C-alpha cells in the first residue's frame, strides 16, 4: 500500500529547529521527533539534557535523532514579538502630546489606557509586533478630555493637562 506524503518546503521553521525541507506524512497529524531538553556544551562535549547522547563532533550532535515523539509545533500564531519603538513628546500650555512611531499600525488591536497620572499603551503593528509603554506621568492629566489618533506610521496620544503648568523635561517619572 502506498502512502501519499506532502512536502513542506523552505521558509517554515519548526519550534525545535528547522531544515530547508521537511517531510510530513499526509495523515492529518504532524508527528515530531525532537529533544524536549536543552543543548549542553560542556568541556568539549555536546549533548541534550534529556537523553545524554554525548559527542565531541558538532555535526554528529546536529544529526542526533530526537528522543521524544509528539505533535509538531510550527510556532504559535498568537505569539507576538515585543519590540522597542521610537517615541517622542512635546507640550503646549494645555496639552502634552505623546507620539509612538511604528509602521503599519493596526488600530483595531491597539489599546490605550490612561488615568490622571498614568499612561499605558499596547501598539500592534507590522508583522505581529507589539510595543508596550506603561509609565507614571510627570504631571496630572484629564483623561476625559484626552484623545488618541492612529495613522499608518504613528500613534499620537493628546493628553489634556489638568493644570496649566509646564512639565519637567522628563515626560515620565
Amino acid at each position: 500500500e502506498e502512502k501519499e506524503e506532502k512536502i513542506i518546503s523552505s521558509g517554515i521553521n519548526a519550534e525545535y529547529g528547522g531544515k530547508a525541507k521537511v517531510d510530513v506524512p499526509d495523515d492529518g497529524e504532524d508527528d515530531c521527533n525532537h529533544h524536549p531538553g536543552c543543548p549542553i556544551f560542556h568541556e568539549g562535549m555536546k549533548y541534550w539534557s534529556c537523553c545524554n547522547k554525548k559527542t565531541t563532533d558538532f555535526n554528529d550532535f546536529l544529526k542526533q535523532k530526537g528522543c521524544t515523539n509528539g505533535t509538531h509545533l510550527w510556532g504559535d500564531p498568537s505569539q507576538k514579538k515585543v519590540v522597542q519603538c521610537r517615541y517622542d513628546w512635546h507640550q503646549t500650555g494645555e496639552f502634552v502630546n505623546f507620539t509612538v512611531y511604528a509602521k503599519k499600525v493596526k488600530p483595531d488591536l491597539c489599546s490605550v489606557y490612561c488615568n490622571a497620572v498614568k499612561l499605558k499603551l499596547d501598539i500592534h503593528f507590522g508583522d505581529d509586533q507589539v510595543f508596550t509603554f506603561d509609565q507614571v506621568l510627570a504631571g496630572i492629566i484629564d483623561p476625559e478630555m484626552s484623545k488618541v489618533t492612529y495613522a499608518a506610521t504613528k500613534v499620537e496620544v493628546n493628553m489634556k493637562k489638568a493644570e496649566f503648568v509646564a512639565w519637567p523635561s522628563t515626560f515620565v517619572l
Side-chain angles (χ1 to χ4, degrees):
E1 178 182 2
E2 292 185 16
K3 188 175 186 179
E4 286 188 26
E5 293 186 353
K6 61 182 176 182
I7 303 294
I8 298 178
S9 52
S10 64
I12 296 178
N13 291 320
E15 182 175 324
Y16 298 106
K19 296 192 182 284
K21 196 179 277 189
V22 179
D23 294 331
V24 179
D26 193 18
D27 59 2
E29 294 289 324
D30 288 343
D31 291 333
C32 180
N33 184 287
H34 65 278
H35 293 282
C38 59
I40 297 175
F41 304 98
H42 182 67
E43 294 182 358
M45 300 301 290
K46 297 142 190 75
Y47 58 98
W48 293 92
S49 63
C50 51
C51 62
N52 286 324
K53 295 177 187 172
K54 297 182 179 182
T55 182
T56 56
D57 184 55
F58 189 73
N59 288 327
D60 289 342
F61 169 75
L62 292 176
K63 292 176 187 174
Q64 284 183 2
K65 297 281 185 192
C67 61
T68 303
N69 285 319
T71 302
H72 196 76
L73 300 176
W74 292 102
D76 184 1
S78 67
Q79 190 174 16
K80 306 292 182 198
K81 181 180 176 186
V82 177
V83 297
Q84 288 297 314
C85 287
R86 184 172 67 91
Y87 58 87
D88 197 6
W89 73 281
H90 69 277
Q91 63 182 317
T92 63
E94 291 184 81
F95 291 95
V96 173
N97 298 302
F98 183 72
T99 305
V100 177
Y101 300 95
K103 292 183 180 178
K104 300 179 184 175
V105 173
K106 301 174 182 175
D108 53 326
L109 299 176
C110 296
S111 66
V112 176
Y113 167 79
C114 67
N115 62 23
V117 294
K118 188 171 187 172
L119 175 64
K120 181 176 181 181
L121 306 171
D122 284 320
I123 308 298
H124 293 254
F125 65 99
D127 298 324
D128 296 325
Q129 296 173 315
V130 178
F131 168 73
T132 301
F133 181 87
D134 186 3
Q135 296 291 328
V136 175
L137 302 173
I140 300 171
I141 65 166
D142 181 359
E144 298 297 320
M145 298 299 293
S146 301
K147 67 177 184 174
V148 62
T149 305
Y150 297 97
T153 58
K154 64 184 177 180
V155 176
E156 292 181 323
V157 182
N158 185 287
M159 297 171 282
K160 172 99 166 93
K161 291 180 182 178
E163 301 170 335
F164 195 85
V165 295
W167 286 14
S169 61
T170 55
F171 175 74
V172 293
L173 295 176

PDB file of all heavy atoms in Angstrom, residues 65-100:
ATOM      1  N   LYS A  65      19.125  11.928  16.435  1.00  0.00           N
ATOM      2  CA  LYS A  65      17.671  11.777  16.361  1.00  0.00           C
ATOM      3  C   LYS A  65      17.069  12.195  17.685  1.00  0.00           C
ATOM      4  O   LYS A  65      17.668  12.019  18.744  1.00  0.00           O
ATOM      5  CB  LYS A  65      17.281  10.326  16.060  1.00  0.00           C
ATOM      6  CG  LYS A  65      17.768   9.825  14.734  1.00  0.00           C
ATOM      7  CD  LYS A  65      16.883  10.335  13.632  1.00  0.00           C
ATOM      8  CE  LYS A  65      17.325   9.707  12.316  1.00  0.00           C
ATOM      9  NZ  LYS A  65      16.728  10.323  11.190  1.00  0.00           N
ATOM     10  N   GLY A  66      15.865  12.741  17.629  1.00  0.00           N
ATOM     11  CA  GLY A  66      15.168  13.151  18.845  1.00  0.00           C
ATOM     12  C   GLY A  66      14.851  11.957  19.736  1.00  0.00           C
ATOM     13  O   GLY A  66      14.736  10.826  19.276  1.00  0.00           O
ATOM     14  N   CYS A  67      14.689  12.210  21.015  1.00  0.00           N
ATOM     15  CA  CYS A  67      14.408  11.133  21.961  1.00  0.00           C
ATOM     16  C   CYS A  67      12.931  11.098  22.374  1.00  0.00           C
ATOM     17  O   CYS A  67      12.523  10.233  23.150  1.00  0.00           O
ATOM     18  CB  CYS A  67      15.299  11.282  23.200  1.00  0.00           C
ATOM     19  SG  CYS A  67      15.043  12.810  24.101  1.00  0.00           S
ATOM     20  N   THR A  68      12.118  12.014  21.847  1.00  0.00           N
ATOM     21  CA  THR A  68      10.699  12.096  22.208  1.00  0.00           C
ATOM     22  C   THR A  68       9.869  12.299  20.958  1.00  0.00           C
ATOM     23  O   THR A  68      10.260  13.044  20.060  1.00  0.00           O
ATOM     24  CB  THR A  68      10.460  13.283  23.171  1.00  0.00           C
ATOM     25  OG1 THR A  68      11.283  13.123  24.303  1.00  0.00           O
ATOM     26  CG2 THR A  68       9.008  13.373  23.594  1.00  0.00           C
ATOM     27  N   ASN A  69       8.719  11.642  20.904  1.00  0.00           N
ATOM     28  CA  ASN A  69       7.765  11.851  19.813  1.00  0.00           C
ATOM     29  C   ASN A  69       6.581  12.636  20.341  1.00  0.00           C
ATOM     30  O   ASN A  69       6.168  12.474  21.484  1.00  0.00           O
ATOM     31  CB  ASN A  69       7.273  10.519  19.242  1.00  0.00           C
ATOM     32  CG  ASN A  69       8.315   9.859  18.376  1.00  0.00           C
ATOM     33  OD1 ASN A  69       8.987  10.521  17.595  1.00  0.00           O
ATOM     34  ND2 ASN A  69       8.456   8.555  18.510  1.00  0.00           N
ATOM     35  N   GLY A  70       6.063  13.487  19.485  1.00  0.00           N
ATOM     36  CA  GLY A  70       4.895  14.279  19.851  1.00  0.00           C
ATOM     37  C   GLY A  70       4.338  14.966  18.625  1.00  0.00           C
ATOM     38  O   GLY A  70       4.783  14.741  17.507  1.00  0.00           O
ATOM     39  N   THR A  71       3.355  15.825  18.846  1.00  0.00           N
ATOM     40  CA  THR A  71       2.775  16.590  17.756  1.00  0.00           C
ATOM     41  C   THR A  71       3.677  17.771  17.457  1.00  0.00           C
ATOM     42  O   THR A  71       4.134  18.453  18.362  1.00  0.00           O
ATOM     43  CB  THR A  71       1.371  17.087  18.143  1.00  0.00           C
ATOM     44  OG1 THR A  71       0.568  15.961  18.467  1.00  0.00           O
ATOM     45  CG2 THR A  71       0.726  17.841  17.002  1.00  0.00           C
ATOM     46  N   HIS A  72       3.918  18.001  16.188  1.00  0.00           N
ATOM     47  CA  HIS A  72       4.843  19.056  15.772  1.00  0.00           C
ATOM     48  C   HIS A  72       4.224  20.431  15.982  1.00  0.00           C
ATOM     49  O   HIS A  72       3.062  20.645  15.657  1.00  0.00           O
ATOM     50  CB  HIS A  72       5.211  18.870  14.304  1.00  0.00           C
ATOM     51  CG  HIS A  72       6.411  19.652  13.910  1.00  0.00           C
ATOM     52  ND1 HIS A  72       7.674  19.257  14.247  1.00  0.00           N
ATOM     53  CD2 HIS A  72       6.545  20.812  13.240  1.00  0.00           C
ATOM     54  CE1 HIS A  72       8.540  20.139  13.789  1.00  0.00           C
ATOM     55  NE2 HIS A  72       7.870  21.092  13.185  1.00  0.00           N
ATOM     56  N   LEU A  73       4.991  21.348  16.528  1.00  0.00           N
ATOM     57  CA  LEU A  73       4.548  22.727  16.730  1.00  0.00           C
ATOM     58  C   LEU A  73       5.270  23.619  15.733  1.00  0.00           C
ATOM     59  O   LEU A  73       6.478  23.774  15.801  1.00  0.00           O
ATOM     60  CB  LEU A  73       4.862  23.181  18.164  1.00  0.00           C
ATOM     61  CG  LEU A  73       4.224  22.372  19.279  1.00  0.00           C
ATOM     62  CD1 LEU A  73       4.703  22.867  20.627  1.00  0.00           C
ATOM     63  CD2 LEU A  73       2.712  22.433  19.185  1.00  0.00           C
ATOM     64  N   TRP A  74       4.542  24.210  14.822  1.00  0.00           N
ATOM     65  CA  TRP A  74       5.136  25.077  13.808  1.00  0.00           C
ATOM     66  C   TRP A  74       5.268  26.502  14.300  1.00  0.00           C
ATOM     67  O   TRP A  74       5.634  27.392  13.582  1.00  0.00           O
ATOM     68  CB  TRP A  74       4.303  25.045  12.528  1.00  0.00           C
ATOM     69  CG  TRP A  74       4.382  23.726  11.858  1.00  0.00           C
ATOM     70  CD1 TRP A  74       3.462  22.739  11.877  1.00  0.00           C
ATOM     71  CD2 TRP A  74       5.478  23.222  11.086  1.00  0.00           C
ATOM     72  NE1 TRP A  74       3.901  21.658  11.172  1.00  0.00           N
ATOM     73  CE2 TRP A  74       5.134  21.928  10.675  1.00  0.00           C
ATOM     74  CE3 TRP A  74       6.706  23.737  10.723  1.00  0.00           C
ATOM     75  CZ2 TRP A  74       5.974  21.148   9.899  1.00  0.00           C
ATOM     76  CZ3 TRP A  74       7.532  22.964   9.946  1.00  0.00           C
ATOM     77  CH2 TRP A  74       7.174  21.684   9.539  1.00  0.00           C
ATOM     78  N   GLY A  75       4.957  26.742  15.525  1.00  0.00           N
ATOM     79  CA  GLY A  75       5.020  28.087  16.097  1.00  0.00           C
ATOM     80  C   GLY A  75       3.635  28.525  16.505  1.00  0.00           C
ATOM     81  O   GLY A  75       2.631  28.050  15.977  1.00  0.00           O
ATOM     82  N   ASP A  76       3.558  29.400  17.442  1.00  0.00           N
ATOM     83  CA  ASP A  76       2.294  29.888  17.962  1.00  0.00           C
ATOM     84  C   ASP A  76       1.911  31.162  17.219  1.00  0.00           C
ATOM     85  O   ASP A  76       2.548  32.190  17.393  1.00  0.00           O
ATOM     86  CB  ASP A  76       2.441  30.165  19.463  1.00  0.00           C
ATOM     87  CG  ASP A  76       1.138  30.578  20.102  1.00  0.00           C
ATOM     88  OD1 ASP A  76       0.113  30.639  19.381  1.00  0.00           O
ATOM     89  OD2 ASP A  76       1.135  30.824  21.318  1.00  0.00           O
ATOM     90  N   PRO A  77       0.865  31.112  16.379  1.00  0.00           N
ATOM     91  CA  PRO A  77       0.498  32.300  15.617  1.00  0.00           C
ATOM     92  C   PRO A  77      -0.001  33.443  16.491  1.00  0.00           C
ATOM     93  O   PRO A  77       0.009  34.585  16.081  1.00  0.00           O
ATOM     94  CB  PRO A  77      -0.607  31.811  14.677  1.00  0.00           C
ATOM     95  CG  PRO A  77      -1.110  30.555  15.279  1.00  0.00           C
ATOM     96  CD  PRO A  77       0.014  29.974  16.093  1.00  0.00           C
ATOM     97  N   SER A  78      -0.437  33.137  17.714  1.00  0.00           N
ATOM     98  CA  SER A  78      -0.904  34.204  18.596  1.00  0.00           C
ATOM     99  C   SER A  78       0.249  34.886  19.328  1.00  0.00           C
ATOM    100  O   SER A  78       0.059  35.900  19.980  1.00  0.00           O
ATOM    101  CB  SER A  78      -1.898  33.644  19.615  1.00  0.00           C
ATOM    102  OG  SER A  78      -1.234  32.752  20.494  1.00  0.00           O
ATOM    103  N   GLN A  79       1.440  34.312  19.231  1.00  0.00           N
ATOM    104  CA  GLN A  79       2.587  34.883  19.921  1.00  0.00           C
ATOM    105  C   GLN A  79       3.061  36.136  19.192  1.00  0.00           C
ATOM    106  O   GLN A  79       3.294  36.131  17.994  1.00  0.00           O
ATOM    107  CB  GLN A  79       3.717  33.865  19.994  1.00  0.00           C
ATOM    108  CG  GLN A  79       4.846  34.292  20.892  1.00  0.00           C
ATOM    109  CD  GLN A  79       5.871  33.185  21.045  1.00  0.00           C
ATOM    110  OE1 GLN A  79       5.892  32.238  20.281  1.00  0.00           O
ATOM    111  NE2 GLN A  79       6.722  33.309  22.025  1.00  0.00           N
ATOM    112  N   LYS A  80       3.196  37.222  19.919  1.00  0.00           N
ATOM    113  CA  LYS A  80       3.598  38.497  19.347  1.00  0.00           C
ATOM    114  C   LYS A  80       5.046  38.789  19.707  1.00  0.00           C
ATOM    115  O   LYS A  80       5.525  38.404  20.756  1.00  0.00           O
ATOM    116  CB  LYS A  80       2.717  39.633  19.879  1.00  0.00           C
ATOM    117  CG  LYS A  80       1.238  39.410  19.709  1.00  0.00           C
ATOM    118  CD  LYS A  80       0.836  39.438  18.281  1.00  0.00           C
ATOM    119  CE  LYS A  80      -0.654  39.260  18.148  1.00  0.00           C
ATOM    120  NZ  LYS A  80      -1.077  38.870  16.861  1.00  0.00           N
ATOM    121  N   LYS A  81       5.707  39.497  18.833  1.00  0.00           N
ATOM    122  CA  LYS A  81       7.092  39.877  19.066  1.00  0.00           C
ATOM    123  C   LYS A  81       7.117  41.257  19.712  1.00  0.00           C
ATOM    124  O   LYS A  81       6.701  42.241  19.113  1.00  0.00           O
ATOM    125  CB  LYS A  81       7.845  39.896  17.742  1.00  0.00           C
ATOM    126  CG  LYS A  81       9.297  40.248  17.876  1.00  0.00           C
ATOM    127  CD  LYS A  81       9.969  40.249  16.521  1.00  0.00           C
ATOM    128  CE  LYS A  81      11.402  40.697  16.647  1.00  0.00           C
ATOM    129  NZ  LYS A  81      12.041  40.855  15.356  1.00  0.00           N
ATOM    130  N   VAL A  82       7.579  41.325  20.948  1.00  0.00           N
ATOM    131  CA  VAL A  82       7.657  42.588  21.673  1.00  0.00           C
ATOM    132  C   VAL A  82       8.920  43.319  21.228  1.00  0.00           C
ATOM    133  O   VAL A  82      10.014  42.773  21.281  1.00  0.00           O
ATOM    134  CB  VAL A  82       7.664  42.354  23.197  1.00  0.00           C
ATOM    135  CG1 VAL A  82       7.806  43.659  23.948  1.00  0.00           C
ATOM    136  CG2 VAL A  82       6.397  41.629  23.625  1.00  0.00           C
ATOM    137  N   VAL A  83       8.744  44.545  20.765  1.00  0.00           N
ATOM    138  CA  VAL A  83       9.859  45.335  20.245  1.00  0.00           C
ATOM    139  C   VAL A  83       9.831  46.746  20.837  1.00  0.00           C
ATOM    140  O   VAL A  83       8.835  47.173  21.404  1.00  0.00           O
ATOM    141  CB  VAL A  83       9.825  45.423  18.706  1.00  0.00           C
ATOM    142  CG1 VAL A  83       9.992  44.068  18.068  1.00  0.00           C
ATOM    143  CG2 VAL A  83       8.549  46.081  18.232  1.00  0.00           C
ATOM    144  N   GLN A  84      10.931  47.443  20.678  1.00  0.00           N
ATOM    145  CA  GLN A  84      11.002  48.843  21.087  1.00  0.00           C
ATOM    146  C   GLN A  84      10.715  49.718  19.871  1.00  0.00           C
ATOM    147  O   GLN A  84      11.112  49.393  18.754  1.00  0.00           O
ATOM    148  CB  GLN A  84      12.393  49.168  21.632  1.00  0.00           C
ATOM    149  CG  GLN A  84      12.661  48.564  22.984  1.00  0.00           C
ATOM    150  CD  GLN A  84      11.729  49.113  24.045  1.00  0.00           C
ATOM    151  OE1 GLN A  84      11.506  50.308  24.137  1.00  0.00           O
ATOM    152  NE2 GLN A  84      11.155  48.231  24.834  1.00  0.00           N
ATOM    153  N   CYS A  85      10.046  50.827  20.109  1.00  0.00           N
ATOM    154  CA  CYS A  85       9.775  51.802  19.057  1.00  0.00           C
ATOM    155  C   CYS A  85      10.326  53.149  19.489  1.00  0.00           C
ATOM    156  O   CYS A  85      10.493  53.412  20.681  1.00  0.00           O
ATOM    157  CB  CYS A  85       8.272  51.954  18.830  1.00  0.00           C
ATOM    158  SG  CYS A  85       7.523  50.574  17.992  1.00  0.00           S
ATOM    159  N   ARG A  86      10.558  53.981  18.509  1.00  0.00           N
ATOM    160  CA  ARG A  86      10.963  55.345  18.815  1.00  0.00           C
ATOM    161  C   ARG A  86       9.716  56.109  19.238  1.00  0.00           C
ATOM    162  O   ARG A  86       8.654  55.977  18.638  1.00  0.00           O
ATOM    163  CB  ARG A  86      11.585  55.984  17.574  1.00  0.00           C
ATOM    164  CG  ARG A  86      12.140  57.383  17.814  1.00  0.00           C
ATOM    165  CD  ARG A  86      12.916  57.885  16.619  1.00  0.00           C
ATOM    166  NE  ARG A  86      12.093  58.117  15.455  1.00  0.00           N
ATOM    167  CZ  ARG A  86      11.507  59.285  15.166  1.00  0.00           C
ATOM    168  NH1 ARG A  86      11.660  60.312  15.953  1.00  0.00           N
ATOM    169  NH2 ARG A  86      10.789  59.401  14.075  1.00  0.00           N
ATOM    170  N   TYR A  87       9.837  56.892  20.295  1.00  0.00           N
ATOM    171  CA  TYR A  87       8.728  57.743  20.718  1.00  0.00           C
ATOM    172  C   TYR A  87       9.257  59.087  21.162  1.00  0.00           C
ATOM    173  O   TYR A  87      10.434  59.244  21.459  1.00  0.00           O
ATOM    174  CB  TYR A  87       7.889  57.083  21.817  1.00  0.00           C
ATOM    175  CG  TYR A  87       8.618  56.705  23.068  1.00  0.00           C
ATOM    176  CD1 TYR A  87       8.790  57.621  24.104  1.00  0.00           C
ATOM    177  CD2 TYR A  87       9.113  55.412  23.243  1.00  0.00           C
ATOM    178  CE1 TYR A  87       9.441  57.264  25.268  1.00  0.00           C
ATOM    179  CE2 TYR A  87       9.763  55.050  24.402  1.00  0.00           C
ATOM    180  CZ  TYR A  87       9.921  55.976  25.411  1.00  0.00           C
ATOM    181  OH  TYR A  87      10.567  55.629  26.562  1.00  0.00           O
ATOM    182  N   ASP A  88       8.371  60.059  21.146  1.00  0.00           N
ATOM    183  CA  ASP A  88       8.747  61.424  21.465  1.00  0.00           C
ATOM    184  C   ASP A  88       7.547  62.112  22.095  1.00  0.00           C
ATOM    185  O   ASP A  88       6.419  61.629  21.998  1.00  0.00           O
ATOM    186  CB  ASP A  88       9.165  62.141  20.181  1.00  0.00           C
ATOM    187  CG  ASP A  88       9.961  63.408  20.452  1.00  0.00           C
ATOM    188  OD1 ASP A  88      10.291  63.672  21.625  1.00  0.00           O
ATOM    189  OD2 ASP A  88      10.240  64.131  19.484  1.00  0.00           O
ATOM    190  N   TRP A  89       7.800  63.264  22.728  1.00  0.00           N
ATOM    191  CA  TRP A  89       6.704  64.030  23.315  1.00  0.00           C
ATOM    192  C   TRP A  89       7.020  65.508  23.249  1.00  0.00           C
ATOM    193  O   TRP A  89       8.171  65.912  23.145  1.00  0.00           O
ATOM    194  CB  TRP A  89       6.440  63.585  24.750  1.00  0.00           C
ATOM    195  CG  TRP A  89       7.496  64.028  25.723  1.00  0.00           C
ATOM    196  CD1 TRP A  89       8.721  63.467  25.914  1.00  0.00           C
ATOM    197  CD2 TRP A  89       7.423  65.133  26.607  1.00  0.00           C
ATOM    198  NE1 TRP A  89       9.409  64.135  26.871  1.00  0.00           N
ATOM    199  CE2 TRP A  89       8.632  65.175  27.326  1.00  0.00           C
ATOM    200  CE3 TRP A  89       6.459  66.101  26.879  1.00  0.00           C
ATOM    201  CZ2 TRP A  89       8.902  66.145  28.285  1.00  0.00           C
ATOM    202  CZ3 TRP A  89       6.719  67.053  27.837  1.00  0.00           C
ATOM    203  CH2 TRP A  89       7.931  67.063  28.534  1.00  0.00           C
ATOM    204  N   HIS A  90       5.971  66.294  23.260  1.00  0.00           N
ATOM    205  CA  HIS A  90       6.113  67.741  23.365  1.00  0.00           C
ATOM    206  C   HIS A  90       4.881  68.267  24.097  1.00  0.00           C
ATOM    207  O   HIS A  90       3.866  67.567  24.220  1.00  0.00           O
ATOM    208  CB  HIS A  90       6.310  68.406  22.000  1.00  0.00           C
ATOM    209  CG  HIS A  90       5.098  68.366  21.133  1.00  0.00           C
ATOM    210  ND1 HIS A  90       4.771  67.287  20.361  1.00  0.00           N
ATOM    211  CD2 HIS A  90       4.128  69.284  20.920  1.00  0.00           C
ATOM    212  CE1 HIS A  90       3.656  67.523  19.708  1.00  0.00           C
ATOM    213  NE2 HIS A  90       3.231  68.748  20.028  1.00  0.00           N
ATOM    214  N   GLN A  91       4.993  69.492  24.582  1.00  0.00           N
ATOM    215  CA  GLN A  91       3.883  70.053  25.338  1.00  0.00           C
ATOM    216  C   GLN A  91       3.585  71.474  24.912  1.00  0.00           C
ATOM    217  O   GLN A  91       4.455  72.192  24.422  1.00  0.00           O
ATOM    218  CB  GLN A  91       4.168  70.004  26.839  1.00  0.00           C
ATOM    219  CG  GLN A  91       5.345  70.830  27.299  1.00  0.00           C
ATOM    220  CD  GLN A  91       5.588  70.704  28.783  1.00  0.00           C
ATOM    221  OE1 GLN A  91       4.650  70.720  29.572  1.00  0.00           O
ATOM    222  NE2 GLN A  91       6.854  70.555  29.154  1.00  0.00           N
ATOM    223  N   THR A  92       2.341  71.823  25.079  1.00  0.00           N
ATOM    224  CA  THR A  92       1.902  73.209  24.945  1.00  0.00           C
ATOM    225  C   THR A  92       1.394  73.605  26.324  1.00  0.00           C
ATOM    226  O   THR A  92       1.508  72.823  27.279  1.00  0.00           O
ATOM    227  CB  THR A  92       0.788  73.343  23.887  1.00  0.00           C
ATOM    228  OG1 THR A  92      -0.346  72.601  24.323  1.00  0.00           O
ATOM    229  CG2 THR A  92       1.262  72.846  22.532  1.00  0.00           C
ATOM    230  N   GLY A  93       0.785  74.754  26.451  1.00  0.00           N
ATOM    231  CA  GLY A  93       0.255  75.166  27.747  1.00  0.00           C
ATOM    232  C   GLY A  93      -0.841  74.245  28.242  1.00  0.00           C
ATOM    233  O   GLY A  93      -0.930  73.936  29.429  1.00  0.00           O
ATOM    234  N   GLU A  94      -1.686  73.742  27.332  1.00  0.00           N
ATOM    235  CA  GLU A  94      -2.839  72.931  27.723  1.00  0.00           C
ATOM    236  C   GLU A  94      -2.661  71.431  27.522  1.00  0.00           C
ATOM    237  O   GLU A  94      -3.352  70.648  28.164  1.00  0.00           O
ATOM    238  CB  GLU A  94      -4.068  73.355  26.908  1.00  0.00           C
ATOM    239  CG  GLU A  94      -4.601  74.714  27.226  1.00  0.00           C
ATOM    240  CD  GLU A  94      -5.866  74.976  26.428  1.00  0.00           C
ATOM    241  OE1 GLU A  94      -6.924  74.502  26.869  1.00  0.00           O
ATOM    242  OE2 GLU A  94      -5.762  75.611  25.370  1.00  0.00           O
ATOM    243  N   PHE A  95      -1.786  71.026  26.606  1.00  0.00           N
ATOM    244  CA  PHE A  95      -1.705  69.617  26.225  1.00  0.00           C
ATOM    245  C   PHE A  95      -0.284  69.078  26.289  1.00  0.00           C
ATOM    246  O   PHE A  95       0.683  69.816  26.126  1.00  0.00           O
ATOM    247  CB  PHE A  95      -2.228  69.423  24.791  1.00  0.00           C
ATOM    248  CG  PHE A  95      -3.700  69.635  24.654  1.00  0.00           C
ATOM    249  CD1 PHE A  95      -4.192  70.873  24.267  1.00  0.00           C
ATOM    250  CD2 PHE A  95      -4.586  68.603  24.907  1.00  0.00           C
ATOM    251  CE1 PHE A  95      -5.550  71.079  24.141  1.00  0.00           C
ATOM    252  CE2 PHE A  95      -5.946  68.800  24.778  1.00  0.00           C
ATOM    253  CZ  PHE A  95      -6.434  70.040  24.396  1.00  0.00           C
ATOM    254  N   VAL A  96      -0.203  67.761  26.493  1.00  0.00           N
ATOM    255  CA  VAL A  96       1.036  67.001  26.328  1.00  0.00           C
ATOM    256  C   VAL A  96       0.752  66.006  25.215  1.00  0.00           C
ATOM    257  O   VAL A  96      -0.228  65.249  25.278  1.00  0.00           O
ATOM    258  CB  VAL A  96       1.439  66.259  27.624  1.00  0.00           C
ATOM    259  CG1 VAL A  96       2.626  65.365  27.367  1.00  0.00           C
ATOM    260  CG2 VAL A  96       1.739  67.246  28.720  1.00  0.00           C
ATOM    261  N   ASN A  97       1.580  66.015  24.184  1.00  0.00           N
ATOM    262  CA  ASN A  97       1.409  65.111  23.043  1.00  0.00           C
ATOM    263  C   ASN A  97       2.499  64.054  23.063  1.00  0.00           C
ATOM    264  O   ASN A  97       3.681  64.382  23.062  1.00  0.00           O
ATOM    265  CB  ASN A  97       1.468  65.896  21.738  1.00  0.00           C
ATOM    266  CG  ASN A  97       0.347  66.902  21.647  1.00  0.00           C
ATOM    267  OD1 ASN A  97      -0.807  66.540  21.722  1.00  0.00           O
ATOM    268  ND2 ASN A  97       0.702  68.172  21.517  1.00  0.00           N
ATOM    269  N   PHE A  98       2.087  62.790  23.084  1.00  0.00           N
ATOM    270  CA  PHE A  98       2.999  61.650  23.105  1.00  0.00           C
ATOM    271  C   PHE A  98       2.828  60.905  21.792  1.00  0.00           C
ATOM    272  O   PHE A  98       1.704  60.518  21.432  1.00  0.00           O
ATOM    273  CB  PHE A  98       2.674  60.741  24.294  1.00  0.00           C
ATOM    274  CG  PHE A  98       3.594  59.579  24.439  1.00  0.00           C
ATOM    275  CD1 PHE A  98       4.898  59.753  24.870  1.00  0.00           C
ATOM    276  CD2 PHE A  98       3.157  58.294  24.172  1.00  0.00           C
ATOM    277  CE1 PHE A  98       5.759  58.672  25.016  1.00  0.00           C
ATOM    278  CE2 PHE A  98       4.010  57.210  24.320  1.00  0.00           C
ATOM    279  CZ  PHE A  98       5.300  57.397  24.747  1.00  0.00           C
ATOM    280  N   THR A  99       3.923  60.690  21.051  1.00  0.00           N
ATOM    281  CA  THR A  99       3.863  60.045  19.737  1.00  0.00           C
ATOM    282  C   THR A  99       4.753  58.813  19.715  1.00  0.00           C
ATOM    283  O   THR A  99       5.919  58.872  20.108  1.00  0.00           O
ATOM    284  CB  THR A  99       4.321  61.016  18.629  1.00  0.00           C
ATOM    285  OG1 THR A  99       3.540  62.202  18.711  1.00  0.00           O
ATOM    286  CG2 THR A  99       4.155  60.398  17.257  1.00  0.00           C
ATOM    287  N   VAL A 100       4.198  57.691  19.254  1.00  0.00           N
ATOM    288  CA  VAL A 100       4.946  56.452  19.045  1.00  0.00           C
ATOM    289  C   VAL A 100       5.042  56.244  17.541  1.00  0.00           C
ATOM    290  O   VAL A 100       4.022  56.259  16.840  1.00  0.00           O
ATOM    291  CB  VAL A 100       4.243  55.240  19.701  1.00  0.00           C
ATOM    292  CG1 VAL A 100       5.002  53.960  19.395  1.00  0.00           C
ATOM    293  CG2 VAL A 100       4.102  55.442  21.190  1.00  0.00           C
TER     294      VAL A 100
END
